[in-house]
Amino acid sequence: MKICVYPGSFDPVTNGHIDIIQRAARMFDKVIVAVVANPNKQPAFTLEDRAAFLKRVLSDMDNVEVDSFSGLLIDYMHVKKASVIIRGLRAVSDFEHEFQMALMNKKLDDNIETIFMMTSGQYSYLSSSMVKEVAGLGGCIKGLVPDEILPEVVRALRKKGE
């Protein structure tokens, strides 16, 4: 069974993330969407909320599992018996940082590969940070995050922006 892990903060999950997950699910037997507990970031949503959003949005995808972790991604990959890391790219500006992480992961375990997937063009400008900023300032984020979670995301981000 070919298992991949798509790690990220998903704070909040965007339609760009969903695009990558859906496409990866067509390529792999199992996709684990792993919400990262990153101590260097101050997320707008708790780890539990981010995982719950993903579970709700991805509930109809049989080969997709939502999980969370902290620590080294390579250690998590070993626990999950996964051999491929999926990373989404929006623009060339994402590549340098992602490339450095991929090389470090390769150094830590030469048997684990990283695949970069370009998001669909309609989401190339989209980031969780942009969603948080627009919603916090009262702007419309319809079409940027999944409809299933839109009201909760808007309510939480507008409250933080007040």
Side-chain angles (χ1 to χ4, degrees):
M1 178 183 280
K2 205 61 160 165
I3 302 171
C4 73
V5 172
Y6 180 35
S9 58
F10 306 105
D11 186 42
V13 60
T14 70
N15 287 335
H17 294 128
I18 300 302
D19 173 57
I20 297 290
I21 294 164
Q22 289 171 336
R23 290 170 39 219
R26 291 192 299 264
M27 297 168 49
F28 293 91
D29 299 315
K30 183 176 186 180
V31 176
I32 301 170
V33 180
V35 184
V36 180
N38 185 340
N40 298 324
K41 289 188 176 182
Q42 296 298 320
F45 297 93
T46 67
L47 187 70
E48 295 77 20
D49 285 342
R50 291 179 278 151
F53 286 158
L54 282 159
K55 286 177 183 175
R56 189 172 344 147
V57 171
L58 302 171
S59 64
D60 63 337
M61 298 184 72
D62 294 335
N63 66 331
V64 176
E65 170 188 322
V66 176
D67 195 17
S68 60
F69 78 100
S70 61
L72 283 176
L73 175 57
I74 293 298
D75 293 339
Y76 181 78
M77 298 288 291
H78 293 158
V79 168
K80 292 297 186 174
K81 298 182 179 11
S83 59
V84 176
I85 300 166
I86 299 290
R87 296 301 297 165
L89 296 175
R90 293 171 302 220
V92 174
S93 57
D94 289 343
F95 183 73
E96 186 174 355
H97 175 72
E98 295 294 343
F99 185 64
Q100 288 175 334
M101 285 197 315
L103 290 174
M104 179 55 74
N105 287 329
K106 194 72 171 160
K107 181 191 180 317
L108 294 171
D109 187 333
D110 194 41
N111 296 310
I112 294 179
E113 297 294 337
T114 299
I115 293 178
F116 298 110
M117 293 180 72
M118 296 300 300
T119 191
S120 296
Q122 69 200 58
Y123 303 120
S124 62
Y125 65 91
L126 183 56
S127 69
S128 294
S129 298
M130 190 171 292
V131 166
K132 288 186 281 196
E133 184 175 344
V134 170
L137 294 170
C140 177
I141 59 169
K142 183 166 180 48
L144 305 182
V145 300
D147 289 340
E148 299 92 329
I149 63 169
L150 179 63
E152 290 167 85
V153 170
V154 168
R155 190 169 33 258
L157 294 176
R158 291 221 171 117
K159 188 176 281 187
K160 287 184 184 293
E162 292 175 347

